[in-house]
Amino acid sequence: MFESLPGFRDFYPEDYEVRQALFQRWKNAVESAGFVGYDGPVLESLDLYIEKSGEEIVEQLFHFVDKGGRRVALRPEMTPTLGRMAGSKANGMRKPVKWYNIGDHFRFERPQKGRTRCFTQLNVDILGEAGVAADAESIHTLILVFRAFGLTGEDFYIRLSDRELWSFAMDAWGVAVDQRGHVLSAIDKMERMDRDALVSWLSEHVGELAGVIYDDAKVLAGIHDLDGLIAWGHALDLSPEQRNALDARMAEWRTLIGALKDLGCSDYVVIDPGIVRGLAYYTGFVFEAFEKRRKSRALAGGGRYDNLVGKLGGPDLHAVGWAMGDVTMLDCLEFCGKTPHEAVRPKLFMVFGDSERPVCFADVDALRGSGCRVLYSYRANAGFGKQLKEASQCGCSHALIYGSDELADGEVTVKDLGSGSARRVKRGELAAFIAALDLKGS
Amino acid sequence: MFESLPGFRDFYPEDYEVRQALFQRWKNAVESAGFVGYDGPVLESLDLYIEKSGEEIVEQLFHFVDKGGRRVALRPEMTPTLGRMAGSKANGMRKPVKWYNIGDHFRFERPQKGRTRCFTQLNVDILGEAGVAADAESIHTLILVFRAFGLTGEDFYIRLSDRELWSFAMDAWGVAVDQRGHVLSAIDKMERMDRDALVSWLSEHVGELAGVIYDDAKVLAGIHDLDGLIAWGHALDLSPEQRNALDARMAEWRTLIGALKDLGCSDYVVIDPGIVRGLAYYTGFVFEAFEKRRKSRALAGGGRYDNLVGKLGGPDLHAVGWAMGDVTMLDCLEFCGKTPHEAVRPKLFMVFGDSERPVCFADVDALRGSGCRVLYSYRANAGFGKQLKEASQCGCSHALIYGSDELADGEVTVKDLGSGSARRVKRGELAAFIAALDLKGS
């Protein structure tokens, strides 16, 4: 018997239903914030990813040469497709562009808990807005998504940082531009590696500066309030121009924190410069969402990436956005007892004898056409008892019984399979009667 | 600037919205008939497709060797994944299994009108039921899908045929088992090739029989009513056992046509033995849906395939189902003036001055949290006139104006941007007021 490939998932109906409920809440939440959906191909030119992330990305990709001789890859993330699509039409579009996508992504990695070779992401991006109003809206939307599942500040929090602060720090330390990626990598590793190992690794790139950088970085990473950040900035050794730029950045910090407060986000957002995000293309505020009650992978991550669209060959286009994966999110929701389900709707089972079939099937057709879910037995000659048993086995909420007595009065018996109660309903009023059923109350 | 690969589509928001509306109606229609969703990976083992369709399928596939040395392919159709998934759990599942999938599929073909290298299909299948009740339900569900878009018997029809009838005909003609695929191919080509060319092609496989087969096949393909089919069957030269089997098959035809009539399908279904379906795995009734008012590709096609799950290594499992593609369906809907759109919902734009921002943003948060779509300007200091202009440019239906006068009374002004009418609403009643808005009536 064939099996699915390692790291790829089959979704049988119970799992499919949960995922659809997840997608539906994602959609409703981000649309409430004015985002509109878009989509692009899961297969793209390999060069699109190399241009964005460098040759090393190829190691993680499902890539091949197609029958037309093109180097192609299954998309590992959405941002390059977004940049390509928005970039090619940027000049004609009203700004800000607020787009979301729910789509599959592929990485050739070792399958493990929380990591599959194919996963679905919600990507939410704002393009064409330089001001922090966009950063605030991006973070607010992320919080709306968590809240859409009933999660609260007890369940999750968002760590907010700023690549620019680290740039000022590197200015003050005197780190050369071509070494800054290594320093950011070291900061990214501070939570997982001890001082000796990290200073030793970093000294290969920045020499004797490594120790100072580590200790200073540890101080900045430990600041969790705006006043502390401002005081930290005052103490930096900067040129007058750098000083002016830092003052302007601190004003933006103040604006962002104020907007987040007004948008009801204060309970969820923690200032935390220790977050730098692994990806090279972030340029400003960055953030990651985590569970609060246990250690886990980031539930979502994002930030500002103002240079990417231009790098992909498009016009300069400011951008801020984030992504959330289905695997980690569903795991979090299960842990919190908030696994989503689609709304419970009536599910009807038609019970009838052979001679009532024409009347019954006419109602099957009409009720299905009006949106009701209607099942019936394929065993034409089964007794009513057997049909009622099948109704229960199918998980139906109600049976509609087409007995000859009822039909003589133009009625059918509607039996609630949960409570066992039954009542007669005129055939012409069935659709309205079913639409009015409150399943929780029935 | 990068572009999408040939034959792959980008969906900008306007196109995305139409596709989502298509998917939503697909989902609602098939769920009304009691089908539940499932999904599998877009990447599968290449052998899964070779096992089902033979080595020649490889020509049409996007396939490659992954980093783990596996021969893999992007799925060209859903049925092998369905067979794999259902087959591996068949023994534990209640029959009939009624599953649907809406998913992407990939074929390396020359891109042309109605044919892309990546397309989305609705697949709807019933597994584990041998009787014609399943064939009837499958066809009824297909008709429900068309009707969900407002299409009528003036717009589409379904051609219903039967592989078994052709088997009886081949029995009578004395066609050897290993030549039957060629004869079916010839029948499939009758509508597009003239007699001489087709007889010449067929005679390479069946010799002098080719002329008789062509002429007899033309007669059968021209029969469009049940009585005609029965009369055709009576005239066949069959053994007594074959005669009994044909009589039983004609009884099944009568049952199917009767069920379809009771289910309100008579206006849409035409008996048409000229349809045989290209794929090798069909075993019984087969059908294809077409536009009525112009020549076009089939809008959907399917039938019974009782041997496939067993062939893929699973248990024997009766099966009937069909698939519908998004490209041809959207083209048909556009031609019929029935392009679907998502329901029109209010879209609000918040208009406020700097000092009212905290109050306004609190409402942004609350209204979004209750599911309303809410936008606002990122230009904090823009005048009310400019903000109202942006509201219109964003396609908002209403502006909520947070003037200091209104707020002194705990109210905001709700302005209908279509009619220009305005009224004041208590802040605490905004969500209810917006939920009650009837956009068509406003």
Side-chain angles (χ1 to χ4, degrees), chain A residues 1-6 8-13 16 19-20 24 27 31-34 36-45 47-48 51 58-64 66-68 70 72 74 81 83-89 93-96 98-102 104 106 108 117 126 129 131 133-134 137 140-141 144 147 255 258-259 262-264 309 312-314 342 345 357-358 361-362 364-365 368-369 371-376 378-379 390 393-394, chain B residues 1-6 8-13 16 19-20 24 27 31-34 36-45 47-48 51 58-64 66-68 70 72 74 81 83-89 93-94 96 98-102 104 106 108 117 126 129 131 133-134 137 140-141 144 147 255 258-259 262-264 309 312-314 342 345 357-358 361-362 364-365 368-369 371-376 378-379 390 393-394:
Chain A
M1 194 69 205
F2 287 98
E3 293 182 359
S4 58
L5 296 167
F8 286 81
R9 295 172 288 169
D10 289 333
F11 297 99
Y12 286 86
Y16 182 86
R19 250 163 71 90
Q20 288 304 115
Q24 189 62 50
K27 172 183 157 80
E31 288 188 353
S32 81
V36 293
Y38 74 100
D39 205 359
V42 299
L43 198 72
E44 293 268 15
S45 165
D47 291 338
L48 180 66
E51 184 65 39
V58 174
E59 281 308 301
Q60 291 177 34
L61 298 186
F62 285 91
H63 66 96
F64 59 102
D66 77 7
K67 292 190 163 71
R70 295 172 199 86
V72 298
L74 288 168
T81 297
R84 177 179 67 66
M85 286 178 61
S88 76
K89 298 215 175 174
M93 290 192 293
R94 229 194 61 77
K95 315 293 183 310
K98 294 170 67 176
W99 282 3
Y100 78 90
N101 172 264
I102 298 171
D104 284 347
F106 304 82
F108 194 86
R117 287 182 176 172
I126 303 171
E129 172 60 43
E137 176 130 291
H140 182 231
T141 306
L144 286 170
R147 281 167 38 195
T255 306
D262 288 346
L263 286 165
V309 178
L312 295 175
E342 295 195 308
R345 290 188 301 139
R357 198 187 72 168
F361 271 19
V364 168
D365 185 47
R368 285 178 174 177
C372 299
R373 290 193 297 172
V374 182
L375 284 76
Y376 56 85
Y378 292 165
R379 303 276 80 76
E390 187 175 345
Q393 288 168 339
C394 292
Chain B
M1 193 68 204
F2 287 97
E3 293 182 358
S4 58
L5 296 167
F8 287 80
R9 295 171 288 169
D10 289 334
F11 298 98
Y12 286 86
Y16 181 85
R19 249 163 71 89
Q20 289 303 115
Q24 189 63 48
K27 172 183 156 81
E31 288 188 352
S32 81
V36 294
Y38 74 101
D39 205 359
V42 299
L43 198 71
E44 292 268 16
S45 165
D47 290 338
L48 181 65
E51 184 64 37
V58 174
E59 281 308 300
Q60 292 176 34
L61 298 185
F62 285 90
H63 65 97
F64 59 102
D66 78 6
K67 292 190 163 72
R70 294 172 200 87
V72 298
L74 288 168
T81 298
R84 177 179 67 68
M85 286 177 61
S88 77
K89 297 215 176 176
M93 290 192 294
R94 229 195 60 79
K98 294 169 66 176
W99 283 3
Y100 77 91
N101 172 263
I102 298 171
D104 285 348
F106 304 82
F108 195 86
R117 287 182 176 172
I126 303 171
E129 172 60 43
E137 176 132 288
H140 181 231
T141 306
L144 286 170
R147 280 166 40 194
T255 306
D262 288 345
L263 287 166
V309 177
L312 294 176
E342 294 195 308
R345 289 188 300 138
R357 196 187 73 166
F361 271 19
V364 168
D365 184 47
R368 285 178 174 177
C372 299
R373 290 194 297 171
V374 183
L375 284 76
Y376 56 85
Y378 292 165
R379 303 276 79 76
E390 187 175 345
Q393 288 168 340
C394 291

Side-chain angles (χ1 to χ4, degrees), chain A residues 292-354:
Chain A
K292 208 161 191 175
R293 290 179 289 169
R294 59 170 183 172
K295 266 204 184 306
S296 68
R297 284 175 198 286
L299 296 166
R304 184 168 279 278
Y305 54 100
D306 282 343
N307 302 330
L308 184 69
V309 178
K311 197 174 168 193
L312 295 175
D316 284 334
L317 200 60
H318 297 282
V320 54
W322 51 265
M324 173 182 281
D326 66 329
V327 182
T328 43
M329 188 63 183
L330 282 174
D331 186 49
C332 163
L333 290 167
E334 189 184 351
F335 175 75
C336 294
K338 305 277 189 189
T339 299
H341 291 283
E342 295 195 308
V344 181
R345 290 188 301 139
K347 194 168 157 189
L348 316 174
F349 199 97
M350 308 299 250
V351 174
F352 60 97
D354 229 18

Side-chain angles (χ1 to χ4, degrees), chain B residues 222-279:
Chain B
I223 297 171
H224 298 297
D225 65 299
L226 197 50
D227 290 341
L229 278 190
I230 291 166
W232 169 87
H234 282 149
L236 277 190
D237 182 20
L238 296 174
S239 70
E241 305 90 78
Q242 289 168 332
R243 170 65 51 203
N244 283 341
L246 178 58
D247 288 347
R249 187 56 175 171
M250 287 301 178
E252 290 181 323
W253 261 97
R254 219 175 275 119
T255 306
L256 176 61
I257 297 296
L260 290 173
K261 178 170 174 287
D262 288 345
L263 287 166
C265 299
S266 300
D267 286 353
Y268 312 101
V269 176
V270 177
I271 293 174
D272 190 342
I275 294 285
V276 295
R277 304 279 299 147
L279 297 166

Side-chain angles (χ1 to χ4, degrees), chain A residues 83-316:
Chain A
R84 177 179 67 66
M85 286 178 61
S88 76
K89 298 215 175 174
N91 295 329
M93 290 192 293
R94 229 194 61 77
K95 315 293 183 310
V97 171
K98 294 170 67 176
W99 282 3
Y100 78 90
N101 172 264
I102 298 171
D104 284 347
H105 301 276
F106 304 82
R107 287 189 199 158
F108 194 86
E109 296 182 299
R110 192 182 185 78
Q112 51 185 284
K113 180 161 172 61
R115 188 167 278 180
T116 53
R117 287 182 176 172
C118 175
F119 52 93
T120 308
Q121 265 186 357
L122 167 64
N123 273 261
V124 178
D125 292 273
I126 303 171
L127 305 176
E129 172 60 43
V132 292
D135 302 79
E137 176 130 291
S138 182
I139 294 167
H140 182 231
T141 306
L142 176 55
I143 290 166
L144 286 170
V145 168
F146 281 112
R147 281 167 38 195
F149 294 92
L151 297 180
T152 71
E154 304 294 306
D155 301 309
F156 75 96
Y157 67 113
I158 291 167
R159 300 168 72 178
L160 174 63
S161 178
D162 182 4
R163 281 277 181 101
E164 286 199 24
L165 289 187
W166 290 106
S167 291
F168 288 114
M170 289 191 280
D171 289 343
W173 296 327
V175 176
V177 170
D178 61 347
Q179 297 302 329
R180 293 189 169 199
H182 298 298
V183 173
L184 286 172
S185 289
I187 293 159
D188 191 38
K189 293 189 177 79
M190 278 200 308
E191 289 181 19
R192 298 185 298 278
M193 275 172 77
D194 67 23
R195 186 181 190 283
D196 287 355
L198 200 51
V199 167
S200 156
W201 178 83
L202 187 56
S203 64
E204 288 175 29
H205 300 288
V206 298
E208 293 187 356
L209 266 180
V212 173
I213 288 176
Y214 182 93
D215 295 331
D216 279 7
K218 205 76 187 172
V219 170
L220 177 52
I223 298 172
H224 299 297
D225 65 298
L226 197 50
D227 289 341
L229 278 188
I230 291 166
W232 169 85
H234 282 149
L236 277 189
D237 181 21
L238 297 173
S239 70
E241 304 92 77
Q242 289 168 331
R243 170 65 49 202
N244 283 341
L246 178 58
D247 288 347
R249 187 56 175 171
M250 288 300 178
E252 289 180 324
W253 261 97
R254 218 175 274 119
T255 306
L256 176 61
I257 296 296
L260 288 174
K261 177 170 174 286
D262 288 346
L263 286 165
C265 299
S266 300
D267 285 353
Y268 311 101
V269 176
V270 176
I271 294 174
D272 191 341
I275 294 285
V276 296
R277 304 278 299 146
L279 297 165
Y281 58 85
Y282 288 108
T283 56
F285 291 109
V286 290
F287 46 91
E288 291 185 355
F290 286 91
E291 288 190 49
K292 208 161 191 175
R293 290 179 289 169
R294 59 170 183 172
K295 266 204 184 306
S296 68
R297 284 175 198 286
L299 296 166
R304 184 168 279 278
Y305 54 100
D306 282 343
N307 302 330
L308 184 69
V309 178
K311 197 174 168 193
L312 295 175
D316 284 334

Side-chain angles (χ1 to χ4, degrees), chain B residues 167-185:
Chain B
S167 290
F168 288 114
M170 290 190 280
D171 288 343
W173 296 327
V175 177
V177 170
D178 61 346
Q179 296 302 330
R180 293 188 168 199
H182 298 299
V183 174
L184 286 172
S185 289

Side-chain angles (χ1 to χ4, degrees), chain B residues 398-401 412-416 421-425 430 433:
Chain B
H398 296 78
L400 270 59
I401 302 171
V412 302
T413 297
V414 179
K415 182 172 179 179
D416 184 322
S421 67
R423 58 167 290 182
R424 283 191 178 199
V425 177
L430 276 172
F433 178 81

